[in-house]
Amino acid sequence: MVVFLENTSSTDLAALEEQAHKYLTEGLYTLAANLYEQAIATEPDTKSHYWNLGLMLLLHEQELEAQATWLLGMAEGEPEQIEQWTEQLIMVLQTEAERREALKEDSIAWAIRHHIREIAPTNINNLLYLLELSVRLGTFTAEELTSLGVIKLLKSEESGEINFEVLMQVLKSILEYAPLHPSSLELAEACLTHVCDCQLYINSVIPTAFGLATLWKNSRQAVHFAELCLRLDPNNLDIICLLSVFYQNAGQYNEGIKTAKILYSLAESLPVKIYATHLVLRGLMSAGGYWEEAVSVVNRLQSLQESLIAEQPISLDLITAHNLFLTPFFFPYFRDEPKKYRKISNQLAQICQVNIQNSAKKQIELYRQRQFTHRKNISSLTKPLKIGYLSHCLATHAVGSLARWLIKYHDRERFQLHAYLINYRNMQDPLQEWYVNQVSKAYRCGIVGTEIAEQISQDEIDILVDLDSLTSDVSYEVIALKPAPVQITWLGWDASGLPTIDYFIADPYVLPESAQDYYSEKIWRLPQTYIAVDGFEVGIPTLRREQLDIPTDAVIYLSAQIGYKRHPDTARLQMKIISEVPNSYFIIKGAGEEESIKKLFNDLAQEEGIDFNRLRFVPEVVSSEVHRANLSIADVVLDTYPYNGATTTLETLWMGVPLVTKVGEQFAARNSYTMMMNAGINEGIAWTDEEYIEWGIRLGKDAALRQHISWKLRQSRQTAPLWDGKQFTLEMEKAYEQMWRNYVEAGN
């Protein structure tokens, strides 16, 4: 019980307040409250005593008593006085809230700021702190943006003076916590009128846009955020670049192409002009059907690349090097000229590697020292080899689906498996989690190549397997740093041309004998096939003849490929086949811009005198299982050229559907060839345009031949190398062991 003393001096009061504050910091709220009660008794007109007493009661969870104390302090005050006292009370509460925030006592800080909000509901800075605390506490739902009136205040002229740095921190936190919520985008837009530092806003928003596009696969939402940033900085090349990609990934091809052309017009350096041209080409190819313009663009791209190769730049920044590395991607889709295009790819890859290594000299030297020490300490070739699999596709993806059989059958006594899952998606993906559970160590990686490379080096990986090649700039950076002594490329695409890749996995068919002349990597040919699977899961079909208005006795041809592969010369061959087979129909399925694809085939059909009503355009389906089931509607599948199907070819053969393919010289033009050979099928393999047409017509007219091929394909499931994942794994393991033996012996 505190005894109140009369005639207390100002010195005594100062000591009392100091002691009360000490009690506050120690959490002794009752003792502090008693002292403030004594202070009120001594100085009833000093309002700060009421504010502090109420704070002590609030912290002691006596909210009603706290509010009553504050009201008592304001009793009988004039409006101007009450306004002044309210500001003082808010300052007291705010000071304590800030102290609690510094101590990471977020729940207490939130409670205090909640009371500030009750006193001053339009105090925007306090509301921002409330939002930040909600995010930290994990209670944020995005509904608070509306219920607290934050967005409304930001849009009004009555928001008062806003702490811009706090606003940006809150925006960044909310975008990281709830990027997909509509209110998050609304908040980002409401902040625009308060921006006093454009770069700070852009730095807060662009990472969210990038994450939406890559991690969440929601490019449409990413577009909106990037557009907000472009409003602030219309000539920002980095934003324009990203926006073009987002548009294209969202299927807004015209906007993506237009934006890429703007980037080209603003670009001053040769590397940026090259990447801008690549983005224009990417948009045209993704849409499909714009081949005339695409040919012009690819020729310009090649000319620009040759100019850069002549310059041999050695001081490119990382982003520029990343972007340049991807620019040869579309060459195989235009012409089957590997000697010409691989030379350009190899030279560009070398330039990019030099520049990435120049920026990480210490890291690379460290890796070399570790590898030297590791090789020096090897006493036996019989130790389990550490194999690292590097990819952004070890999930629900074509590559993820195909690579699983190798992982499944690996001998765990002879091989220790590590998986480096680039851009790991923290969401429900059964196949991604399957990979995580199948390996000795799984790393849920982000998109920082140097960090991934460092982990690989620390793990002392013996052989690093790159499954991405030119499909991922992150994998490129990792491989360029050479974190493992032996590095190989397999499955995901053709070889990248990086000098740090030691081997490229092939087989007797997928590359001609002369291919080593134009590959920088050593081609390692497995004895039968470079890929094998045990089979595919098949769902319930959703395509039926009657729903497509196709007669039951008609012959159905099918082509199921993305817009990239819709080369007009091959499409013209397909039209010639349709024109020669009576009562035949052509189903065209695949990603791309519907109108441009339709126009391409319409024009070709008209050239060949084919009724457009014999063509059917069908959209993508929800799952791969349903896609495979729908393949059974076809009597014959017509492959693309110069870029064949890969996964689609495997699926077609598994479903027992005859396939017509044209074989070329480049890897992309021989995928279907090697798969058919390894399934025991020769029928349908063409080496010329004339043979492609002949096989297409013959298979369309000869039902007995189609049945025979289907029977052979069904029988092949039991005997063919293509469907023997276990045997394929044994061959890959023999290759790994020989590669490692070569490496060790070379150092002795």
Side-chain angles (χ1 to χ4, degrees):
M1 187 70 167
V2 176
V3 178
F4 292 102
L5 304 175
E6 296 182 3
N7 303 318
T8 305
S9 68
S10 59
T11 303
D12 293 335
L13 279 173
L16 181 150
E17 289 181 333
E18 183 179 345
Q19 183 62 43
H21 183 73
K22 185 173 183 295
Y23 285 150
L24 166 63
T25 58
E26 294 172 351
L28 302 173
Y29 307 130
T30 301
L31 294 178
N34 288 337
L35 292 178
Y36 282 121
E37 287 175 354
Q38 181 178 349
I40 290 173
T42 304
E43 291 183 344
D45 292 331
T46 301
K47 300 302 180 181
S48 61
H49 300 328
Y50 294 90
W51 315 151
N52 283 300
L53 174 59
L55 173 61
M56 297 309 110
L57 294 170
L58 176 64
L59 294 172
H60 198 51
E61 299 183 355
Q62 294 177 279
E63 295 184 21
L64 293 177
E65 291 84 349
Q67 292 169 349
T69 300
W70 293 330
L71 289 174
L72 179 62
M74 295 188 187
E76 301 179 359
E78 298 295 329
E80 290 183 2
Q81 290 178 304
I82 292 175
E83 184 177 346
Q84 182 181 0
W85 294 338
T86 300
E87 291 177 3
Q88 293 173 359
L89 170 58
I90 290 173
M91 186 62 68
V92 168
L93 296 177
Q94 185 172 297
T95 299
E96 180 61 15
E98 290 171 354
R99 189 178 75 85
R100 298 292 182 166
E101 288 160 2
L103 294 171
K104 306 297 183 185
E105 296 176 356
D106 294 336
S107 58
I108 297 175
W110 184 91
I112 295 170
R113 289 197 177 278
H114 181 70
H115 279 277
I116 295 176
R117 184 221 168 195
E118 291 183 347
I119 297 166
T122 61
N123 184 326
I124 185 65
N125 291 317
N126 181 65
L127 295 176
L128 293 175
Y129 279 114
L130 262 178
L131 292 173
E132 177 73 12
L133 290 166
S134 295
V135 172
R136 285 193 208 169
L137 292 167
T139 61
F140 181 78
T141 65
E143 300 299 333
E144 294 93 331
L145 293 168
T146 302
S147 62
L148 295 178
V150 173
I151 292 176
K152 184 178 179 181
L153 275 172
L154 288 172
K155 289 181 177 179
S156 73
E157 297 180 357
E158 302 174 0
S159 55
E161 186 175 344
I162 296 177
N163 186 322
F164 180 68
E165 290 187 3
V166 173
L167 178 62
M168 289 300 97
Q169 177 56 47
V170 171
L171 175 62
K172 181 180 179 182
S173 297
I174 288 175
L175 294 184
E176 289 175 353
Y177 192 84
L180 295 170
H181 198 283
S183 294
S184 297
L185 177 61
E186 195 176 356
L187 173 65
E189 186 169 14
C191 289
L192 284 177
T193 56
H194 303 279
V195 172
C196 55
D197 183 339
C198 292
Q199 196 56 50
L200 184 56
Y201 178 90
I202 291 169
N203 291 344
S204 301
V205 174
I206 282 297
T208 294
F210 189 79
L212 284 166
T214 57
L215 185 61
W216 295 96
K217 305 301 180 185
N218 191 331
S219 292
R220 288 188 179 276
Q221 190 80 339
V223 162
H224 297 314
F225 283 106
E227 287 176 335
L228 294 179
C229 293
L230 202 61
R231 285 195 214 173
L232 294 175
D233 193 356
N235 293 329
N236 187 309
L237 299 187
D238 293 335
I239 297 173
I240 294 170
C241 175
L242 285 175
L243 188 55
S244 176
V245 175
F246 297 161
Y247 277 134
Q248 293 177 31
N249 290 351
Q252 298 172 248
Y253 302 114
N254 288 333
E255 287 298 319
I257 295 166
K258 177 183 174 182
T259 306
K261 289 179 177 178
I262 292 172
L263 177 64
Y264 183 85
S265 69
L266 294 173
E268 296 181 355
S269 69
L270 182 56
V272 177
K273 284 185 178 294
I274 290 173
Y275 190 62
T277 305
H278 165 74
L279 288 181
V280 174
L281 186 61
R282 184 180 188 270
L284 294 169
M285 295 294 287
S286 298
Y290 294 108
W291 278 91
E292 187 174 342
E293 183 178 357
V295 169
S296 173
V297 173
V298 78
N299 289 335
R300 184 172 82 231
L301 176 61
Q302 180 186 335
S303 176
L304 291 170
Q305 289 170 329
E306 289 171 346
S307 296
L308 185 75
I309 290 168
E311 291 183 4
Q312 290 292 306
I314 59 172
S315 58
L316 300 175
D317 62 79
L318 279 178
I319 293 177
T320 301
H322 277 224
N323 291 344
L324 281 174
F325 176 74
L326 300 173
T327 59
F329 180 81
F330 289 104
F331 287 158
Y333 294 90
F334 284 87
R335 289 182 285 272
D336 181 28
E337 298 179 351
K339 293 178 183 178
K340 176 180 179 181
Y341 288 139
R342 287 223 56 83
K343 181 180 179 181
I344 294 174
S345 294
N346 294 344
Q347 290 173 326
L348 273 177
Q350 186 170 13
I351 289 173
C352 293
Q353 178 174 299
V354 166
N355 282 274
I356 189 73
Q357 290 188 344
N358 283 343
S359 68
K361 290 180 180 178
K362 290 183 179 179
Q363 196 169 349
I364 291 169
E365 182 57 33
L366 176 62
Y367 298 162
R368 287 175 181 164
Q369 290 175 3
R370 286 174 180 168
Q371 291 165 20
F372 175 77
T373 302
H374 181 49
R375 178 155 63 178
K376 203 169 131 184
N377 293 335
I378 293 173
S379 59
S380 170
L381 290 171
T382 60
K383 75 172 187 69
L385 284 177
K386 288 186 178 180
I387 310 296
Y389 288 96
L390 173 72
S391 181
H392 71 291
C393 303
L394 297 178
T396 301
H397 184 281
V399 169
S401 177
L402 301 183
R404 60 186 165 142
W405 303 106
L406 174 61
I407 302 300
K408 175 182 177 180
Y409 289 119
H410 255 310
D411 184 341
R412 266 52 176 189
E413 293 184 1
R414 292 159 52 214
F415 300 91
Q416 185 183 109
L417 308 184
H418 293 233
Y420 300 90
L421 293 86
I422 296 174
N423 197 24
Y424 177 86
R425 297 184 288 279
N426 190 20
M427 58 186 73
Q428 291 184 345
D429 186 323
L431 188 52
Q432 179 177 254
E433 294 313 305
W434 181 88
Y435 275 104
V436 169
N437 294 325
Q438 287 293 313
V439 298
S440 299
K441 293 184 180 180
Y443 297 91
R444 298 164 175 83
C445 306
I447 56 173
V448 181
T450 51
E451 293 178 1
I452 301 170
E454 176 61 25
Q455 184 63 60
I456 292 169
S457 177
Q458 288 183 11
D459 291 340
E460 295 186 335
I461 293 299
D462 297 318
I463 299 176
L464 182 61
V465 185
D466 163 37
L467 285 82
D468 292 345
S469 188
L470 282 186
T471 66
S472 169
D473 58 337
V474 179
S475 293
Y476 138 75
E477 182 181 358
V478 174
I479 294 295
L481 292 170
K482 191 68 169 176
V486 179
Q487 299 189 152
I488 71 175
T489 292
W490 171 64
L491 184 61
W493 209 72
D494 200 346
S496 65
L498 278 170
T500 47
I501 288 287
D502 300 290
Y503 300 103
F504 177 55
I505 300 295
D507 61 34
Y509 309 104
V510 78
L511 286 176
E513 289 297 326
S514 61
Q516 190 61 72
D517 295 340
Y518 45 86
Y519 274 80
S520 63
E521 304 88 343
K522 173 70 175 175
I523 297 173
W524 192 289
R525 295 181 191 268
L526 299 180
Q528 293 176 304
T529 176
Y530 84 93
I531 178 62
V533 299
D534 279 1
F536 292 97
E537 296 82 3
V538 180
I540 299 172
T542 58
L543 282 183
R544 298 182 63 85
R545 288 178 177 242
E546 55 265 31
Q547 78 183 74
L548 295 174
D549 194 25
I550 295 177
T552 56
D553 61 344
V555 174
I556 294 180
Y557 291 92
L558 170 70
S559 177
Q561 295 292 351
I562 59 175
Y564 296 175
K565 300 183 181 182
R566 298 290 181 196
H567 197 292
D569 291 348
T570 305
R572 184 174 286 105
L573 300 181
Q574 293 166 346
M575 290 297 96
K576 290 182 181 295
I577 293 170
I578 304 302
S579 69
E580 292 296 325
V581 179
N583 196 28
S584 64
Y585 290 77
F586 191 23
I587 297 176
I588 299 147
K589 172 183 176 292
E593 185 182 69
E594 184 178 355
E595 291 307 312
S596 65
I597 297 284
K598 282 185 176 180
K599 185 177 186 307
L600 169 66
F601 282 97
N602 272 343
D603 292 346
L604 293 173
Q606 189 173 3
E607 287 180 21
E608 297 300 324
I610 298 172
D611 186 347
F612 181 67
N613 289 326
R614 292 171 66 186
L615 307 182
R616 299 288 186 273
F617 298 87
V618 298
E620 295 283 347
V621 291
V622 175
S623 71
S624 298
E625 291 80 4
V626 173
H627 155 72
R628 293 168 197 141
N630 285 341
L631 290 173
S632 61
I633 197 174
D635 294 297
V636 182
V637 167
L638 299 178
D639 198 11
T640 48
Y641 177 89
Y643 205 112
N644 294 167
T647 304
T648 50
T649 295
L650 282 168
E651 292 167 330
T652 297
L653 298 176
W654 181 255
M655 295 303 297
V657 181
L659 177 78
V660 179
T661 188
K662 180 184 172 185
V663 186
E665 189 176 355
Q666 65 186 5
F667 178 86
R670 299 170 72 92
N671 257 310
S672 295
Y673 167 53
T674 189
M675 291 169 185
M676 291 176 73
M677 293 296 290
N678 279 290
I681 300 295
N682 291 294
E683 299 88 345
I685 297 175
W687 296 87
T688 64
D689 290 352
E690 292 73 22
E691 287 184 10
Y692 184 90
I693 295 171
E694 288 170 7
W695 271 118
I697 295 171
R698 182 179 173 187
L699 288 171
K701 291 183 175 181
D702 192 338
L705 178 59
R706 296 199 301 271
Q707 291 173 0
H708 176 66
I709 294 171
S710 294
W711 178 84
K712 286 176 67 176
L713 286 171
R714 287 194 298 273
Q715 294 301 307
S716 77
R717 291 185 177 188
Q718 305 301 318
T719 59
L722 193 64
W723 312 125
D724 193 343
K726 192 171 186 178
Q727 180 60 35
F728 167 74
T729 301
L730 290 174
E731 299 297 344
M732 281 287 278
E733 290 178 341
K734 288 179 185 177
Y736 289 162
E737 289 172 332
Q738 186 59 53
M739 290 173 186
W740 185 246
R741 189 174 293 109
N742 292 348
Y743 167 74
V744 172
E745 292 175 353
N748 293 334

